[in-house]
Amino acid sequence: MKESKIKPAGQASLGIEGKNFDLPMLAGSQGPNAVDIRKLYDQADVITYDPGFTSTASTESNITFIDGDKGVLQYRGYPIDQLAEHSSFLETCYLLLYGDLPTASQMEKFTYTITRHTMVHEQLASFFRGFRRDAHPMAIMCGVVGALSAFYHDSTDINDPKQREIASHRLVAKMPTIAAMAYKYHVGQPFVYPRNELGYTDNFLRMCFSVPAEDYKVNKVLSKALDTIFILHADHEQNASTSTVRLAGSSGANPFACIAAGIACLWGPAHGGANEAALKMLMEIGTVDKVPEYVKRVKDKSSGLRLMGFGHRVYKNYDPRAKAMQIQAHAVLDELGLHDDPLLKVAIELERIALQDDYFIEKKLYPNIDFYSGITLKALGFPTSMFTALFALARTVGWIAQWKEMLEDPHQKIGRPRQIYTGPTERAYVPMSQRK
Ligand code: CMC
């Protein structure tokens, strides 16, 4: 069990019908202070109402920090732009799981461990074959990742720290294999086994794009871009899918079941599916000259249109991930000789116009990570149906780090929100013959 690092930060007072209730204030290391309402129901017989948890901290966490107004995102204190530039996805995984950047020998050991867990049980291949060919990769991922609990019994005891660690290594290692198998099944090509001499992302690209008929050489520029996309998506504090993983885990469910729950939540278009929508919008606009007209339509509320890839619930400034994403988008399109890509031109013009338009300035609408990730993933050769599966692959390490943190938290309780009930009050059962 880890010790809480929350510090007392004075008192708040809440007046309810003439009675005053003192509530402790709590402080973390960065971010707003919190009013501790844990005893409020006991003491005052009232509950708080906060659909979507917009003002509610569900947990203490020392993994990821976001300051949405300033456009800050840090993993374990390290700014995301520095990690995107200097780190690798596997090193970022270590950072998220263990709290610090690894030394050379820690990294060597971690890389060895992850690499030796990349194969999946051979019987899992038959599991894939049970799906229809046109199954969405995310449908396959939900099913197959949940099924891992049936294959790896020796890492499902959540009370054993060693088993928790093995489960976390297995999940980080096997997600690329499973995502690549979902892709191969989707396109009707044979599964490709992992190769231990390749790095994490090189190996994933090979499992997706090599075929038995010819050799496959990993392009380092494309691999760096995908690795960066994985870093940018690795964690994002208590978002919907992470909260889902924590909620599922709070009941004592095994790690594979919890991650399957996270994948299901991520699948929704309001969460993991936005880059696909941004790409579709760029295709619909088509050419640079149509951008002003499109922006005009977006500003007209009656059109119901939104600029996809713009705006964010938390960031009211430039999404810090979008900057790193834009750099990688350019690198990939340059490498592939696609710098004249009409979609990129439309994206640049759209961003230019929107960033100087009063409507977007006043509402603090800036490009988010999804604005450029769709173009990049398309250029890398992935079909849009794979976009969310790639997000799930990258976010798995964040989910599992948050799941482990929750289990080590002395204040951990089963998640059980309350409600404001508005249904019928008590009434007597009416026999069917007397019902009108
Ligand atoms: N285009 C045009 N207007 C917008 C947009 C947009 N993309 N986003 C918000 N607005 C307007 C909205 O109409 C509202 O205007 P008003 O105050 O006049 O009614 C105002 O801005 C506030 O909107 P909101 O819906 O209350 O803001 P929110 O914080 O609840 O929404 C959002 C955040 C991401 C759902 C929204 O900005 C949006 O729909 N963006 C497009 C979809 C998108 O790119 N999603 C990816 C998010 S990043 C992925 C991730 O981190 O998981």
Side-chain angles (χ1 to χ4, degrees):
M1 286 286 157
K2 285 208 175 117
E3 270 197 21
S4 170
K5 289 189 180 148
I6 292 180
K7 293 196 182 73
Q11 293 276 332
S13 176
L14 178 67
I16 303 173
E17 292 169 353
K19 239 179 129 184
N20 253 15
F21 295 91
D22 286 335
L23 300 167
M25 295 288 294
L26 307 174
S29 54
Q30 307 188 72
N33 289 350
V35 182
D36 180 351
I37 56 161
R38 280 175 293 180
K39 299 215 167 86
L40 186 65
Y41 182 43
D42 268 358
Q43 289 172 357
D45 201 25
V46 295
I47 54 175
T48 55
Y49 179 59
D50 185 17
F53 309 119
T54 52
S55 297
T56 299
S58 59
T59 186
E60 171 184 354
S61 179
N62 54 34
I63 301 175
T64 292
F65 175 72
I66 298 175
D67 183 332
D69 291 330
K70 294 195 184 123
V72 168
L73 168 63
Q74 299 162 353
Y75 296 162
R76 305 280 192 187
Y78 294 101
I80 192 67
D81 53 317
Q82 293 184 23
L83 292 169
E85 193 179 344
H86 303 296
S87 187
S88 66
F89 179 64
L90 210 51
E91 186 184 61
T92 301
C93 288
Y94 186 98
L95 174 68
L96 288 169
L97 288 172
Y98 296 103
D100 279 309
L101 287 170
T103 62
S105 66
Q106 286 168 333
M107 189 61 203
E108 194 186 330
K109 191 169 165 225
F110 184 64
T111 306
Y112 181 90
T113 307
I114 297 298
T115 309
R116 263 77 196 163
H117 273 113
T118 48
M119 278 176 65
V120 292
H121 194 289
E122 194 57 26
Q123 239 180 308
L124 214 65
S126 359
F127 210 91
F128 279 83
R129 294 194 177 96
F131 286 95
R132 274 171 55 138
R133 275 282 169 206
D134 59 358
H136 194 285
M138 284 297 274
I140 300 180
M141 300 276 286
C142 284
V144 171
V145 174
L148 293 178
S149 359
F151 286 84
Y152 300 103
H153 297 136
D154 58 343
S155 50
T156 52
D157 179 359
I158 61 155
N159 298 313
D160 178 348
K162 192 69 208 159
Q163 291 205 25
R164 292 206 292 268
E165 188 176 34
I166 296 173
S168 70
H169 291 160
R170 283 192 166 135
L171 279 157
V172 170
K174 292 183 200 307
M175 281 302 273
T177 314
I178 293 169
M181 287 170 87
Y183 170 67
K184 285 299 200 191
Y185 189 73
H186 193 59
V187 293
Q189 291 179 3
F191 297 140
V192 175
Y193 288 105
R195 298 274 336 163
N196 285 355
E197 76 275 14
L198 293 178
Y200 189 90
T201 302
D202 288 5
N203 183 40
F204 176 63
L205 280 169
R206 188 183 163 276
M207 287 192 290
C208 287
F209 297 123
S210 76
V211 287
E214 60 187 40
D215 286 341
Y216 177 82
K217 199 166 174 307
V218 177
N219 178 315
K220 287 291 167 194
V221 175
L222 307 191
S223 171
K224 167 68 188 160
L226 188 58
D227 202 69
T228 309
I229 292 179
F230 290 164
I231 294 174
L232 300 176
H233 285 90
D235 196 46
H236 213 225
E237 51 121 305
Q238 308 311 318
N239 56 83
S241 58
T242 302
S243 298
T244 302
V245 170
R246 280 185 177 260
L247 199 56
S250 76
S251 74
N254 75 67
F256 306 107
C258 294
I259 301 303
I263 295 173
C265 178
L266 185 75
W267 195 357
H271 191 2
N275 52 9
E276 193 175 332
L279 187 67
K280 278 191 187 142
M281 176 194 72
L282 295 176
M283 292 199 234
E284 190 193 322
I285 299 173
T287 48
V288 170
D289 57 304
K290 305 256 174 58
V291 171
E293 174 58 26
Y294 195 83
V295 171
K296 206 167 136 204
R297 281 174 61 208
V298 167
K299 292 194 301 186
D300 173 9
K301 280 274 163 76
S302 66
S303 73
L305 273 184
R306 282 193 171 202
L307 213 50
M308 299 314 286
F310 261 72
H312 197 275
R313 169 59 64 79
V314 180
Y315 296 119
K316 300 303 171 195
N317 204 320
Y318 211 100
D319 177 344
R321 302 167 300 173
K323 288 181 192 154
M325 197 58 254
Q326 190 195 41
I327 294 170
Q328 292 307 326
H330 283 287
V332 166
L333 295 170
D334 281 349
E335 175 69 13
L336 298 175
L338 298 172
H339 34 259
D340 282 335
D341 183 63
L343 291 187
L344 183 68
K345 285 191 171 159
V346 171
I348 292 170
E349 181 63 0
L350 197 55
E351 185 180 4
R352 193 187 65 79
I353 293 190
L355 286 178
Q356 57 190 25
D357 190 299
D358 284 347
Y359 175 94
F360 295 94
I361 295 169
E362 274 161 25
K363 294 186 192 306
K364 298 188 175 171
L365 298 169
Y366 295 88
N368 59 49
I369 186 169
D370 293 320
F371 191 63
Y372 281 103
S373 64
I375 303 177
T376 317
L377 293 174
K378 179 174 175 281
L380 288 173
F382 290 104
T384 47
S385 58
M386 272 301 284
F387 289 4
T388 321
L390 295 168
F391 191 164
L393 185 172
R395 185 54 60 83
T396 293
V397 66
W399 289 332
I400 203 83
Q402 301 264 357
W403 171 83
K404 278 176 77 208
E405 183 180 67
M406 178 202 62
L407 292 176
E408 288 159 14
D409 182 346
H411 298 298
Q412 191 267 323
K413 280 181 187 310
I414 184 165
R416 175 57 173 90
R418 294 190 177 270
Q419 61 171 10
I420 302 177
Y421 176 71
T422 55
T425 50
E426 185 176 320
R427 47 185 174 165
Y429 180 81
V430 182
M432 197 177 278
S433 59
Q434 292 170 25
R435 287 177 216 159
K436 298 198 176 104

